[in-house]
Amino acid sequence: MSFGVGCDVEEISRFEKYAAKEEFLKQVCLPSEKEYCQSKARPQQHLAAIFCGKEAVIKALGNLEIDNIGFWDIEISHLANGCPQVRILKDMDCDLEIKISLSHCKTVAMAQVVAFKS
């Protein structure tokens, strides 16, 4: 089994103008992710965290020499207890397990991902 690690950090202020822009949201978010972000009091924090999560997944998979994954191939959702999870929507020719952690404060969002390939 091999593994890859990815992380990303973004300033939330970058996402304040994007949180209500449909064109940007369509490029970055799946409908379920957009709905999740817009259900929150400060959607830009959650949008930034999801963006970080997708960037971190792409970096982790790149370490495993999987480079054909884009933002629309990655779904980030949350369990009932708030823990984030990742699902790759594209058919893969290997078994992947991906663990993700997302966090944000008033000014910064971050994500860390570990991907395992067997």
Side-chain angles (χ1 to χ4, degrees):
M1 180 178 286
S2 55
F3 70 95
V5 176
C7 68
D8 195 55
V9 176
E10 298 287 341
E11 292 203 25
I12 292 171
S13 62
R14 277 188 60 207
F15 293 85
E16 288 175 0
K17 61 184 172 192
Y18 296 130
K21 293 198 179 205
E22 276 304 310
E23 188 172 318
F24 177 80
L25 293 172
K26 284 182 184 178
Q27 292 175 0
V28 173
C29 294
L30 296 168
S32 60
E33 295 163 337
K34 174 185 159 188
E35 183 179 321
Y36 174 81
C37 292
Q38 291 179 336
S39 74
K40 302 298 182 180
R42 295 198 62 217
Q44 63 271 23
Q45 288 179 322
H46 302 276
L47 177 60
I50 285 177
F51 183 90
C52 286
K54 290 184 178 211
E55 284 284 329
V57 168
I58 290 169
K59 290 173 184 177
L61 294 180
N63 285 324
L64 294 171
E65 299 182 2
I66 300 171
D67 58 4
N68 59 346
I69 299 292
F71 273 40
W72 273 76
D73 300 319
I74 302 165
E75 179 182 43
I76 296 178
S77 60
H78 295 78
L79 299 173
N81 65 3
C83 290
Q85 60 183 7
V86 174
R87 186 168 65 119
I88 301 299
L89 302 176
K90 188 174 196 176
D91 286 335
M92 303 298 295
D93 58 358
C94 61
D95 288 330
L96 286 175
E97 181 180 354
I98 301 173
K99 301 296 184 186
I100 188 169
S101 179
L102 302 176
S103 191
H104 58 77
C105 63
K106 289 182 181 181
T107 59
V108 177
M110 63 80 56
Q112 186 165 2
V113 169
V114 179
F116 302 92
K117 176 176 135 181
S118 54

